Amino acid sequence: MSQRPLVAFLDMNVWIDIARGRRVGDSRWVAVFDGLLAAVAEHRVVLPLISSHYLELWNRSDQISREGVATVMRDLSSYVTLAPIQDIRRREVAIAVERYSHPEAAGLAVEDLLGHGVNHAFNSSYGRFRFVESLASTDGSVAEGPSVPAPDSWTDVVREGPAWEWINLAGLDDVVHNPGLERTPTHRLGTAHVQEELRIRELIGRAPWARTRIEDIVVTEELQALTDSINAACRQAGVDPYALFLDNPTHADPSGAMRGFVRRLPSVDTAARLRVRKHQDLSHPWEQHDRVDIISLATAVPYCDVVVTERRWVHLIQASRLAADYKVRVGSGIGAVESLVSDA
């Protein structure tokens, strides 16, 4: 039986570095690209894209710049993609609920999450595009408007194939700069996320009890966000949702049951532990792009074999024991990518 290829996640900055290195003729980055291209062609490595890659690339307003990075991403990923975080979390919740009465139920593997193309990355026949009546405000005072049908101009759009994949990844100027399109949703959502985290940080600084209960605060928030998924999974499995936390024989009290439930959800556990670790050091600022980074790492850390990301996240992944618990190799910079090439 042949060994499956290594599945490696490359942070957006790494894709940008590879593209820049090739453009300027940096011999190390050129060798990295060539090595990865050969490893992918020989099925020794898979370099999947995730929804965050598509969203972040359009933060670059210049068409030539986007296309340079997109070319590298296309050639090395072959448009292999991982399922979106919301789908992963729903599936994790369903498995965790099933294991309440059937402990032998199998968990998710990376093979369950891999697919092809932007439609898979966003679980939508419209790829990265969403149609809503109005956008939510960054401060949370105005909720997002309801979904609306796609415009009539989309009726004849072929939403598959190479052209569709390229438009979703690299974009076209008349699409990217369309006044009716939000080009940088990660900025708006990232700003709202910072405000939410700063509310927790303010509580930690103000309330003496909060300093020692950071994990419980974060776990409670994560579970609140999963309420609909938990209730749906419990209905499907015939499990009392209250029993999960109030009458769970494997935990002494409800707070322990809550923490334990989150630990059984790999993507949620990863996000929660990164947030907790960052809140434990008040000198670490919360920044706009933290939201997309945490979502990306919550997808990659539990399911990929190798994660190459920024040095600060490598530190937090290792310090929180996520790397050890999920048996993932993490690193930063060109050295980590060179190691990936040599180990493939």
PDB file of all heavy atoms in Angstrom, residues 72-92:
ATOM      1  N   VAL A  72       1.652  31.121  -9.340  1.00  0.00           N
ATOM      2  CA  VAL A  72       2.365  30.174  -8.476  1.00  0.00           C
ATOM      3  C   VAL A  72       1.370  29.280  -7.732  1.00  0.00           C
ATOM      4  O   VAL A  72       1.543  28.057  -7.637  1.00  0.00           O
ATOM      5  CB  VAL A  72       3.273  30.931  -7.487  1.00  0.00           C
ATOM      6  CG1 VAL A  72       3.860  29.975  -6.444  1.00  0.00           C
ATOM      7  CG2 VAL A  72       4.390  31.643  -8.237  1.00  0.00           C
ATOM      8  N   MET A  73       0.306  29.875  -7.206  1.00  0.00           N
ATOM      9  CA  MET A  73      -0.689  29.111  -6.460  1.00  0.00           C
ATOM     10  C   MET A  73      -1.389  28.099  -7.364  1.00  0.00           C
ATOM     11  O   MET A  73      -1.624  26.951  -6.964  1.00  0.00           O
ATOM     12  CB  MET A  73      -1.698  30.068  -5.823  1.00  0.00           C
ATOM     13  CG  MET A  73      -1.065  31.031  -4.827  1.00  0.00           C
ATOM     14  SD  MET A  73      -2.210  32.295  -4.226  1.00  0.00           S
ATOM     15  CE  MET A  73      -3.008  31.418  -2.897  1.00  0.00           C
ATOM     16  N   ARG A  74      -1.721  28.508  -8.563  1.00  0.00           N
ATOM     17  CA  ARG A  74      -2.359  27.593  -9.519  1.00  0.00           C
ATOM     18  C   ARG A  74      -1.437  26.421  -9.860  1.00  0.00           C
ATOM     19  O   ARG A  74      -1.849  25.249  -9.812  1.00  0.00           O
ATOM     20  CB  ARG A  74      -2.712  28.360 -10.790  1.00  0.00           C
ATOM     21  CG  ARG A  74      -3.301  27.501 -11.911  1.00  0.00           C
ATOM     22  CD  ARG A  74      -3.190  28.216 -13.245  1.00  0.00           C
ATOM     23  NE  ARG A  74      -1.791  28.432 -13.631  1.00  0.00           N
ATOM     24  CZ  ARG A  74      -1.402  29.292 -14.584  1.00  0.00           C
ATOM     25  NH1 ARG A  74      -2.298  30.021 -15.232  1.00  0.00           N
ATOM     26  NH2 ARG A  74      -0.123  29.413 -14.873  1.00  0.00           N
ATOM     27  N   ASP A  75      -0.177  26.733 -10.172  1.00  0.00           N
ATOM     28  CA  ASP A  75       0.733  25.699 -10.642  1.00  0.00           C
ATOM     29  C   ASP A  75       1.087  24.695  -9.544  1.00  0.00           C
ATOM     30  O   ASP A  75       1.277  23.505  -9.826  1.00  0.00           O
ATOM     31  CB  ASP A  75       2.010  26.339 -11.188  1.00  0.00           C
ATOM     32  CG  ASP A  75       1.762  27.133 -12.471  1.00  0.00           C
ATOM     33  OD1 ASP A  75       0.659  26.993 -13.041  1.00  0.00           O
ATOM     34  OD2 ASP A  75       2.654  27.903 -12.876  1.00  0.00           O
ATOM     35  N   LEU A  76       1.195  25.165  -8.312  1.00  0.00           N
ATOM     36  CA  LEU A  76       1.604  24.266  -7.229  1.00  0.00           C
ATOM     37  C   LEU A  76       0.430  23.588  -6.534  1.00  0.00           C
ATOM     38  O   LEU A  76       0.586  22.507  -5.960  1.00  0.00           O
ATOM     39  CB  LEU A  76       2.441  25.022  -6.194  1.00  0.00           C
ATOM     40  CG  LEU A  76       3.800  25.531  -6.676  1.00  0.00           C
ATOM     41  CD1 LEU A  76       4.558  26.201  -5.528  1.00  0.00           C
ATOM     42  CD2 LEU A  76       4.636  24.393  -7.269  1.00  0.00           C
ATOM     43  N   SER A  77      -0.736  24.193  -6.572  1.00  0.00           N
ATOM     44  CA  SER A  77      -1.897  23.576  -5.927  1.00  0.00           C
ATOM     45  C   SER A  77      -2.723  22.728  -6.881  1.00  0.00           C
ATOM     46  O   SER A  77      -3.434  21.808  -6.445  1.00  0.00           O
ATOM     47  CB  SER A  77      -2.807  24.649  -5.328  1.00  0.00           C
ATOM     48  OG  SER A  77      -3.512  25.353  -6.341  1.00  0.00           O
ATOM     49  N   SER A  78      -2.657  23.034  -8.178  1.00  0.00           N
ATOM     50  CA  SER A  78      -3.551  22.421  -9.162  1.00  0.00           C
ATOM     51  C   SER A  78      -5.011  22.585  -8.746  1.00  0.00           C
ATOM     52  O   SER A  78      -5.865  21.763  -9.073  1.00  0.00           O
ATOM     53  CB  SER A  78      -3.215  20.932  -9.360  1.00  0.00           C
ATOM     54  OG  SER A  78      -1.887  20.775  -9.818  1.00  0.00           O
ATOM     55  N   TYR A  79      -5.265  23.644  -7.991  1.00  0.00           N
ATOM     56  CA  TYR A  79      -6.604  23.961  -7.471  1.00  0.00           C
ATOM     57  C   TYR A  79      -7.164  22.880  -6.548  1.00  0.00           C
ATOM     58  O   TYR A  79      -8.378  22.745  -6.409  1.00  0.00           O
ATOM     59  CB  TYR A  79      -7.590  24.237  -8.610  1.00  0.00           C
ATOM     60  CG  TYR A  79      -7.278  25.471  -9.419  1.00  0.00           C
ATOM     61  CD1 TYR A  79      -7.094  25.394 -10.805  1.00  0.00           C
ATOM     62  CD2 TYR A  79      -7.170  26.722  -8.813  1.00  0.00           C
ATOM     63  CE1 TYR A  79      -6.815  26.525 -11.556  1.00  0.00           C
ATOM     64  CE2 TYR A  79      -6.891  27.859  -9.561  1.00  0.00           C
ATOM     65  CZ  TYR A  79      -6.710  27.757 -10.932  1.00  0.00           C
ATOM     66  OH  TYR A  79      -6.442  28.885 -11.682  1.00  0.00           O
ATOM     67  N   VAL A  80      -6.286  22.123  -5.905  1.00  0.00           N
ATOM     68  CA  VAL A  80      -6.740  21.269  -4.806  1.00  0.00           C
ATOM     69  C   VAL A  80      -7.078  22.195  -3.638  1.00  0.00           C
ATOM     70  O   VAL A  80      -6.322  23.132  -3.341  1.00  0.00           O
ATOM     71  CB  VAL A  80      -5.654  20.261  -4.394  1.00  0.00           C
ATOM     72  CG1 VAL A  80      -6.071  19.509  -3.127  1.00  0.00           C
ATOM     73  CG2 VAL A  80      -5.390  19.281  -5.526  1.00  0.00           C
ATOM     74  N   THR A  81      -8.216  21.963  -2.996  1.00  0.00           N
ATOM     75  CA  THR A  81      -8.654  22.846  -1.919  1.00  0.00           C
ATOM     76  C   THR A  81      -9.137  22.044  -0.719  1.00  0.00           C
ATOM     77  O   THR A  81      -9.530  20.878  -0.838  1.00  0.00           O
ATOM     78  CB  THR A  81      -9.804  23.773  -2.384  1.00  0.00           C
ATOM     79  OG1 THR A  81     -10.865  22.981  -2.924  1.00  0.00           O
ATOM     80  CG2 THR A  81      -9.314  24.757  -3.438  1.00  0.00           C
ATOM     81  N   LEU A  82      -9.099  22.689   0.435  1.00  0.00           N
ATOM     82  CA  LEU A  82      -9.664  22.137   1.662  1.00  0.00           C
ATOM     83  C   LEU A  82     -11.060  22.704   1.878  1.00  0.00           C
ATOM     84  O   LEU A  82     -11.349  23.839   1.489  1.00  0.00           O
ATOM     85  CB  LEU A  82      -8.778  22.470   2.862  1.00  0.00           C
ATOM     86  CG  LEU A  82      -7.501  21.646   3.022  1.00  0.00           C
ATOM     87  CD1 LEU A  82      -6.575  22.300   4.042  1.00  0.00           C
ATOM     88  CD2 LEU A  82      -7.819  20.221   3.449  1.00  0.00           C
ATOM     89  N   ALA A  83     -11.914  21.928   2.506  1.00  0.00           N
ATOM     90  CA  ALA A  83     -13.276  22.375   2.799  1.00  0.00           C
ATOM     91  C   ALA A  83     -13.241  23.624   3.672  1.00  0.00           C
ATOM     92  O   ALA A  83     -12.288  23.840   4.432  1.00  0.00           O
ATOM     93  CB  ALA A  83     -14.044  21.256   3.500  1.00  0.00           C
ATOM     94  N   PRO A  84     -14.278  24.453   3.608  1.00  0.00           N
ATOM     95  CA  PRO A  84     -14.299  25.687   4.408  1.00  0.00           C
ATOM     96  C   PRO A  84     -14.471  25.387   5.893  1.00  0.00           C
ATOM     97  O   PRO A  84     -15.042  24.363   6.283  1.00  0.00           O
ATOM     98  CB  PRO A  84     -15.505  26.448   3.851  1.00  0.00           C
ATOM     99  CG  PRO A  84     -16.380  25.397   3.248  1.00  0.00           C
ATOM    100  CD  PRO A  84     -15.455  24.337   2.733  1.00  0.00           C
ATOM    101  N   ILE A  85     -13.991  26.301   6.717  1.00  0.00           N
ATOM    102  CA  ILE A  85     -13.963  26.097   8.160  1.00  0.00           C
ATOM    103  C   ILE A  85     -15.355  25.841   8.718  1.00  0.00           C
ATOM    104  O   ILE A  85     -15.522  25.016   9.629  1.00  0.00           O
ATOM    105  CB  ILE A  85     -13.296  27.312   8.860  1.00  0.00           C
ATOM    106  CG1 ILE A  85     -13.083  27.051  10.340  1.00  0.00           C
ATOM    107  CG2 ILE A  85     -14.106  28.579   8.646  1.00  0.00           C
ATOM    108  CD1 ILE A  85     -12.052  25.999  10.642  1.00  0.00           C
ATOM    109  N   GLN A  86     -16.385  26.506   8.219  1.00  0.00           N
ATOM    110  CA  GLN A  86     -17.719  26.310   8.781  1.00  0.00           C
ATOM    111  C   GLN A  86     -18.224  24.888   8.531  1.00  0.00           C
ATOM    112  O   GLN A  86     -18.904  24.308   9.388  1.00  0.00           O
ATOM    113  CB  GLN A  86     -18.713  27.350   8.229  1.00  0.00           C
ATOM    114  CG  GLN A  86     -18.943  27.315   6.737  1.00  0.00           C
ATOM    115  CD  GLN A  86     -17.986  28.203   5.972  1.00  0.00           C
ATOM    116  OE1 GLN A  86     -16.911  28.547   6.464  1.00  0.00           O
ATOM    117  NE2 GLN A  86     -18.385  28.605   4.759  1.00  0.00           N
ATOM    118  N   ASP A  87     -17.867  24.313   7.391  1.00  0.00           N
ATOM    119  CA  ASP A  87     -18.259  22.934   7.119  1.00  0.00           C
ATOM    120  C   ASP A  87     -17.467  21.960   7.984  1.00  0.00           C
ATOM    121  O   ASP A  87     -18.010  20.964   8.478  1.00  0.00           O
ATOM    122  CB  ASP A  87     -18.042  22.603   5.643  1.00  0.00           C
ATOM    123  CG  ASP A  87     -19.051  23.265   4.731  1.00  0.00           C
ATOM    124  OD1 ASP A  87     -19.877  24.050   5.246  1.00  0.00           O
ATOM    125  OD2 ASP A  87     -19.020  23.012   3.519  1.00  0.00           O
ATOM    126  N   ILE A  88     -16.180  22.233   8.142  1.00  0.00           N
ATOM    127  CA  ILE A  88     -15.358  21.379   8.990  1.00  0.00           C
ATOM    128  C   ILE A  88     -15.910  21.367  10.411  1.00  0.00           C
ATOM    129  O   ILE A  88     -16.043  20.309  11.041  1.00  0.00           O
ATOM    130  CB  ILE A  88     -13.893  21.865   8.987  1.00  0.00           C
ATOM    131  CG1 ILE A  88     -13.278  21.686   7.589  1.00  0.00           C
ATOM    132  CG2 ILE A  88     -13.067  21.115  10.030  1.00  0.00           C
ATOM    133  CD1 ILE A  88     -11.902  22.302   7.448  1.00  0.00           C
ATOM    134  N   ARG A  89     -16.266  22.524  10.923  1.00  0.00           N
ATOM    135  CA  ARG A  89     -16.782  22.588  12.291  1.00  0.00           C
ATOM    136  C   ARG A  89     -18.114  21.869  12.434  1.00  0.00           C
ATOM    137  O   ARG A  89     -18.344  21.178  13.431  1.00  0.00           O
ATOM    138  CB  ARG A  89     -16.905  24.056  12.725  1.00  0.00           C
ATOM    139  CG  ARG A  89     -15.558  24.716  12.900  1.00  0.00           C
ATOM    140  CD  ARG A  89     -15.658  26.102  13.485  1.00  0.00           C
ATOM    141  NE  ARG A  89     -14.332  26.584  13.847  1.00  0.00           N
ATOM    142  CZ  ARG A  89     -14.108  27.622  14.623  1.00  0.00           C
ATOM    143  NH1 ARG A  89     -15.123  28.310  15.115  1.00  0.00           N
ATOM    144  NH2 ARG A  89     -12.879  27.995  14.906  1.00  0.00           N
ATOM    145  N   ARG A  90     -18.971  21.998  11.442  1.00  0.00           N
ATOM    146  CA  ARG A  90     -20.244  21.271  11.510  1.00  0.00           C
ATOM    147  C   ARG A  90     -20.020  19.768  11.549  1.00  0.00           C
ATOM    148  O   ARG A  90     -20.670  19.041  12.309  1.00  0.00           O
ATOM    149  CB  ARG A  90     -21.136  21.638  10.320  1.00  0.00           C
ATOM    150  CG  ARG A  90     -21.911  22.942  10.498  1.00  0.00           C
ATOM    151  CD  ARG A  90     -23.037  23.052   9.491  1.00  0.00           C
ATOM    152  NE  ARG A  90     -22.542  23.186   8.132  1.00  0.00           N
ATOM    153  CZ  ARG A  90     -22.317  24.357   7.531  1.00  0.00           C
ATOM    154  NH1 ARG A  90     -22.524  25.489   8.181  1.00  0.00           N
ATOM    155  NH2 ARG A  90     -21.879  24.406   6.289  1.00  0.00           N
ATOM    156  N   ARG A  91     -19.081  19.294  10.747  1.00  0.00           N
ATOM    157  CA  ARG A  91     -18.801  17.860  10.709  1.00  0.00           C
ATOM    158  C   ARG A  91     -18.143  17.395  12.000  1.00  0.00           C
ATOM    159  O   ARG A  91     -18.429  16.296  12.489  1.00  0.00           O
ATOM    160  CB  ARG A  91     -17.933  17.543   9.490  1.00  0.00           C
ATOM    161  CG  ARG A  91     -18.656  17.815   8.174  1.00  0.00           C
ATOM    162  CD  ARG A  91     -17.741  17.721   6.968  1.00  0.00           C
ATOM    163  NE  ARG A  91     -17.334  16.346   6.688  1.00  0.00           N
ATOM    164  CZ  ARG A  91     -16.586  16.009   5.642  1.00  0.00           C
ATOM    165  NH1 ARG A  91     -16.173  16.946   4.794  1.00  0.00           N
ATOM    166  NH2 ARG A  91     -16.263  14.755   5.434  1.00  0.00           N
ATOM    167  N   GLU A  92     -17.262  18.214  12.541  1.00  0.00           N
ATOM    168  CA  GLU A  92     -16.645  17.858  13.821  1.00  0.00           C
ATOM    169  C   GLU A  92     -17.685  17.770  14.939  1.00  0.00           C
ATOM    170  O   GLU A  92     -17.630  16.857  15.776  1.00  0.00           O
ATOM    171  CB  GLU A  92     -15.576  18.895  14.194  1.00  0.00           C
ATOM    172  CG  GLU A  92     -14.330  18.843  13.328  1.00  0.00           C
ATOM    173  CD  GLU A  92     -13.355  19.956  13.644  1.00  0.00           C
ATOM    174  OE1 GLU A  92     -13.741  20.918  14.353  1.00  0.00           O
ATOM    175  OE2 GLU A  92     -12.202  19.877  13.189  1.00  0.00           O
TER     176      GLU A  92
END
